[in-house]
């Protein structure tokens, strides 16, 4: 049975619909990441589950029990706020022990757990420090320890690594995943950063305008984006309208091969940059190199075909053509995805 | 946008809870404010079975009454402006600078506020009047000018600005101003664009309080105004107590009521909406030792102001209390322990008034904090016309003639089921009417500045709404609460206008006893009045010092 179940949850702010009949299940010990641009309803979904926001329609079930009449403080969920919301008048220890105190833990237990959690998040012995004197990353760790302390059955994280620098973020994602795995915590996290979501989650839920655009494992979502929106949100730009017939799609870029068994008819097609192969200008689609962007292990090359939208290709470091050069492009079928329609607006 | 979302998402349950919180304060004000005032106004305007509204025209047409109205208004405006001008540097110095003796000085500037207005008037007379200190030194007399009244008003209200504005100022995050500086704003521009807007709600609250106090000023004007200057409140007292002209008093009471109502309405429309969520920090971390010429100059200026404007009158007061015909000594103080054998002003030794006053003031403070705390909690979330109306209603007692309230108590609360005439609680109830608005006004800006998501964070961690209030709001407002309680206590101790009507002859309060002594001729009575005032001053100073101690201890305590 799913630990968390949302059925047809709808939230409206005046005329705007923030969540539009959302169905979602989170299994025990699962880490689910809600991914989407700002304003897509991710944070609202967390607030509904926490009971901080009332739903206009639909049900929220935790462990199979409807939460409609359960007040926030009895839901037994944890929520780590985007900007931490540490209690300014308490020190680090006071913040971490807060939930334990609310649940009636005795002083010894509070002290023991606080010490344990601070060690867990890498701030051993920080109990007496003032929260105002903490750096952003330290505040985040304290907020995490505070949320974990009462051992919530579901831990929700709102942009958990939002304000941190990249290096720290990448390290913390790994640490978090490791930590949640060890503790067996069920996690529902919100992020707008796909890299973070893919690194952290067992399952990714992409949201758009209050609806779920796609849900699946990071690999599924990465390999088979469900729609042009999801593809573009994941950072894929080679998306073009097409008519699919058999194993080929007619596009502005000419004929693009598609995998066997692709849906037929008027569609949108995604060609991942890996599937854009550069050849001699006399072969395939003739393009001009517009720019090159160094991406660490590879170079992204932006190409301008005579017709149709620009294309992005990936080259190894030594082989990238210079801007202005003419190249030919052929497409690899296994890197082409025929996309489904975007959800109706 | 974020705010709008929350407002929409607010449940009916929250509204019901708010109405529940409001029920207590509403009942309190209905019973002990609206009812007595309405009764006395009814008595003045309802004659021979009909309402005599024609009396408005009659009374307001009189040139002497028009004179009173004009003077009341402009002196209140001038006093408010002057107080803000003189006290704002003080608010800054107390909020942002750290210097030796700060705590003591904070108490010192609050003392004038708790002195009975009659004593303030007398102290200024002794300072500025004929044979006063200035007259002796330089031959300057101000008691025939309006300056004496204005300066006495500043003396009296300095603490209102310093504590109300300074209280919030000390909790503003200095980094906000630093951010503006980094963005290219000069020191003054940063203050004007960042700090000043954040202070506006508390500035407005302070200005409003000072205006209401000076608009309804009684004791000070009574003493210093002489025959030429009279405020509405003084006029109401004269009409009620001297001429027994209840209709005129009723008309003037209503005029004052309407004027105050109008001011509060304007305040509610223009200023209230500017209150916003601020970053509040521990005041202990914002205060620094003065650095640079400007800060030293400010500190010096404020200290000089305090000495000249606040301490000098108090010093004269103390000096007079020891200045017996037989040379300096405790003669007047010894007399306070005895009953005048000639059957004078008292049935009991005047010293009894000290215990009465303390008892009454403690009870009044408890009532004020309970009623005002409930009201402030109910008003924390701004929503709905009803809530705003309630907010304004709470301020009305500050503007309604205390004389009218006191007299109203006498004629309404004297029969079953509410026969409180013989009960000692009557006096604290009347005093709490003035204390509640203080508690609300002091706590509300701080409560409203508490970030809603902190409460949400507490709720998610398992705190019930009540517990969240205790754990999140209370520690953040504890300081404001202590300030509010201190104010309520002080106001109760010094309340005169209403108490003079309802305190029983064998149980006088300190201000009433002082007034009675001042009202009788002879050096002995005058000296005893000075001695009793000095005692009142010391009692207030000690009480406030204790409060400051509690406050600083509680802010360092964690659980």
């Amino acid at each position: 049975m799913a630990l968390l179940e949302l059925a047809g949850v709808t939230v409206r702010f005046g005329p705007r619909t923030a969540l539009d009949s959302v169905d979602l299940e989170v299994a025990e010990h699962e880490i689910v990441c809600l991914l989407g641009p700002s304003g897509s309803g991710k944070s609202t979904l967390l607030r509904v589950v926490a009971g901080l926001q009332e739903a206009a329609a639909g049900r929220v079930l935790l462990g199979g029990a409807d939460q409609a009449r359960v007040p926030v403080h009895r839901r037994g969920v944890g929520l780590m706020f985007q900007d931490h919301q540490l209690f300014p008048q308490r020190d680090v220890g006071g913040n971490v022990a807060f939930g334990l105190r609310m649940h009636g833990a005795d002083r010894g237990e509070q002290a023991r757990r606080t010490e344990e959690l601070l060690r867990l998040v890498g701030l051993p012995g920080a109990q007496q420090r003032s929260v105002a004197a903490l750096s952003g990353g330290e505040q985040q760790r304290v907020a995490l320890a505070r949320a974990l302390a009462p051992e919530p059955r579901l831990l929700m994280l709102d942009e958990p690594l939002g304000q941190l620098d990249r290096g720290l973020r990448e390290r913390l994602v790994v640490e978090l995943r490791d930590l949640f795995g060890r503790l067996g915590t069920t996690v529902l996290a919100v992020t707008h950063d796909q890299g973070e979501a893919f690194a952290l989650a067992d399952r990714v839920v992409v949201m758009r305008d209050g609806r779920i655009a796609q849900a699946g494992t990071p690999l599924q979502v990465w390999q088979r984006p469900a729609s042009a929106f999801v593809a573009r949100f994941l950072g894929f730009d080679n998306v073009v309208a097409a008519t699919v017939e058999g194993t080929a799609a007619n596009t502005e870029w000419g004929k693009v091969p598609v995998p066997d068994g692709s849906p037929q008819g008027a569609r949108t097609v995604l060609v991942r940059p890996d599937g854009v192969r550069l050849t001699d200008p006399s072969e395939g689609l003739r393009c001009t190199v517009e720019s090159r962007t160094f991406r660490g292990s590879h170079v992204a090359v932006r190409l301008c075909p005579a017709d149709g939208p620009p294309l992005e290709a990936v080259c190894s470091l030594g082989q990238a053509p210079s801007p202005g050069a003419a190249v030919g492009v052929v497409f690899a079928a296994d890197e082409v995805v025929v996309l489904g329609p975007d959800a109706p607006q | 946008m974020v705010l709008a979302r929350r407002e929409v998402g607010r449940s009916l349950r929250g509204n019901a809870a708010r109405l529940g919180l409001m029920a207590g304060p509403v009942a309190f004000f209905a019973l002990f404010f609206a009812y007595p005032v309405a009764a006395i106004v009814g008595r003045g305007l309802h004659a021979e079975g009909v309402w005599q509204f024609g009396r408005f025209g009659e009374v307001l047409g009189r040139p002497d009454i028009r004179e009173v109205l004009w003077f009341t208004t402009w002196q209140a405006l001038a006093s408010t402006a002057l107080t803000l001008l003189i006290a704002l540097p003080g608010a800054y110095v107390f909020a942002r600078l750290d210097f030796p003796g700060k705590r003591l000085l904070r108490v010192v500037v609050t003392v004038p506020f708790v002195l009975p207005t009659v004593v303030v008037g007398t102290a200024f007379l002794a300072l500025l009047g004929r044979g006063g200190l200035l007259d002796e030194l330089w031959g300057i007399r101000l008691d025939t000018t309006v300056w004496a009244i204005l300066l006495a008003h500043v003396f009296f209200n300095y603490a209102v600005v310093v504590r109300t504005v300074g209280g919030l100022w000390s909790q503003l995050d200095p980094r906000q101003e630093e951010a503006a500086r980094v963005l290219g704003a000069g020191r003054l521009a940063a203050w004007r664009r960042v700090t000043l807007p954040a202070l506006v709600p508390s500035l407005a609250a302070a200005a409003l309080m000072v205006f209401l106090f000076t608009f309804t000023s009684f004791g000070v004007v009574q003493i210093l105004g002489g025959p030429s200057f009279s405020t509405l409140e003084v006029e109401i007292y004269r009409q009620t107590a001297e001429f027994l002209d209840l209709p005129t008093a009723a008309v003037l009471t209503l005029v004052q009521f309407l004027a105050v109502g109008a001011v509060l309405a304007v305040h509610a429309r223009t200023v209230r909406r500017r209150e916003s969520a601020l970053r509040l920090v521990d005041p202990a971390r914002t205060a620094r030792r003065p650095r640079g010429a400007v800060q030293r100059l400010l500190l010096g200026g404020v200290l000089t102001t305090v000495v000249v404007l606040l301490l000098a009158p108090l010093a004269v007061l103390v000096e007079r209390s020891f200045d017996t015909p037989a040379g300096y000594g405790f003669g007047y103080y010894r007399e306070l322990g005895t009953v005048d054998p000639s059957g004078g002003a008292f049935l009991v030794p005047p010293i009894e008034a000290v215990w009465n006053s303390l008892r009454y003031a403690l009870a009044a403070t408890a009532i004020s904090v309970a009623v005002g705390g409930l009201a402030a909690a109910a008003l924390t979330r701004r929503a709905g016309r009803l809530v705003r109306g309630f907010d304004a209603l709470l301020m009305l007692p500050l503007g309604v003639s205390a004389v009218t309230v006191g007299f109203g108590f006498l004629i309404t609360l004297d029969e079953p089921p509410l026969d409180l005439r013989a009960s000692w609680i009557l006096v604290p109830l009347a005093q709490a009417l003035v204390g509640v608005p203080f508690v609300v006004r002091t706590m509300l800006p701080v409560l409203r500045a508490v970030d809603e998501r902190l409460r949400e964070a507490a709720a998610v961690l398992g705190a019930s709404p009540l517990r969240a209030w205790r754990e999140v709001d209370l520690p953040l407002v504890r300081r404001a609460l202590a300030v509010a309680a201190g104010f309520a206590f002080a106001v109760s101790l010094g309340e005169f206008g209403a108490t003079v009507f309802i305190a029983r002859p064998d149980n006088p309060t300190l201000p009433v006893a002082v007034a009675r002594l001042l009202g009788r001729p002879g050096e002995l009575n005058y000296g005893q009045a000075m001695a009793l005032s000095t005692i009142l001053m010391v009692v207030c100073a000690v009480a406030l010092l204790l409060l400051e101690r509690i406050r600083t201890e509680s802010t360092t305590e964690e659980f």
Side-chain angles (χ1 to χ4, degrees), chain B residues 115-238:
Chain B
L115 290 181
T117 49
V118 184
V119 177
V120 176
T122 316
F124 267 78
L125 209 55
L127 186 70
L128 308 170
R130 188 181 351 162
L133 197 64
L134 293 191
D135 196 11
E136 279 171 18
L137 292 177
W138 298 297
I140 299 171
R141 279 187 58 191
L142 292 174
D143 63 326
T144 47
T145 70
V146 75
W147 283 104
I149 294 177
L150 296 185
L151 286 178
H153 281 163
V154 176
F155 169 87
F156 197 62
N157 292 306
Y158 188 84
V160 176
V161 177
V162 167
R163 303 201 76 137
T164 314
V165 180
L168 183 64
W169 204 335
S170 67
Q171 296 190 65
L172 287 185
D173 196 332
R175 282 175 299 180
Q176 298 265 314
E177 214 171 290
E178 288 165 9
R181 294 293 303 285
V182 173
L183 289 169
R187 198 182 284 274
L188 206 63
W191 183 81
R192 198 165 57 82
R193 293 185 186 253
V194 176
T195 308
L196 189 61
L199 287 178
V200 161
S202 67
L203 263 175
L208 185 72
M209 276 196 227
V210 176
F211 181 84
L212 290 181
F213 279 135
T214 51
F215 189 79
T216 60
S217 183
F218 178 46
V220 167
V221 183
Q222 176 98 324
I223 303 271
L224 295 174
S228 45
F229 299 115
S230 174
T231 56
L232 266 174
E233 185 82 46
V234 172
E235 198 59 31
I236 292 169
Y237 178 75
R238 277 174 49 194

Side-chain angles (χ1 to χ4, degrees), chain A residues 47 54 83 89-90 101, chain B residues 11 453 456 459 463 471 558:
Chain A
R47 291 177 63 83
E54 266 180 67
D83 40 5
Q89 76 280 15
R90 294 177 201 288
R101 229 154 38 81
Chain B
S11 69
R453 281 167 309 168
E456 293 180 354
E471 299 282 348
E558 268 302 320

Side-chain angles (χ1 to χ4, degrees), chain A residues 1 10-12 23 42 76 103 147 158 181 216 227-228 238 276 278:
Chain A
M1 184 182 60
T10 301
V11 171
R12 290 194 193 89
D23 299 315
K42 311 174 303 257
H103 290 88
D158 194 351
S227 63
N238 299 341
V276 180
L278 303 187

Side-chain angles (χ1 to χ4, degrees), chain B residues 480-497:
Chain B
L481 191 67
V483 172
F487 262 136
F489 184 79
V491 172
S492 313
L493 267 186
E495 210 289 328
F496 177 62

Side-chain angles (χ1 to χ4, degrees), chain B residues 332-358:
Chain B
Y332 293 139
Y333 290 87
R334 275 193 294 273
E335 285 298 323
L336 290 176
T338 61
V339 179
D340 188 349
S342 65
F346 294 97
L347 304 169
V348 292
I351 199 75
E352 293 274 319
V354 175
W355 310 122
N356 289 332
S357 270
L358 282 180

Side-chain angles (χ1 to χ4, degrees), chain B residues 79 82-83 86 108-117 119-121 123-124 127 148-160 220 305-315 317 537:
Chain B
S79 299
L82 203 60
T83 308
I86 294 178
V108 166
V109 302
T110 313
V111 168
F113 185 71
V114 302
L115 290 181
T117 49
V119 177
V120 176
F124 267 78
L127 186 70
I149 294 177
L150 296 185
L151 286 178
H153 281 163
V154 176
F155 169 87
F156 197 62
N157 292 306
Y158 188 84
V160 176
V220 167
T305 309
V306 168
V307 169
V308 170
L309 194 71
L310 305 186
L311 288 184
L314 298 181
L317 181 73
M537 196 174 82

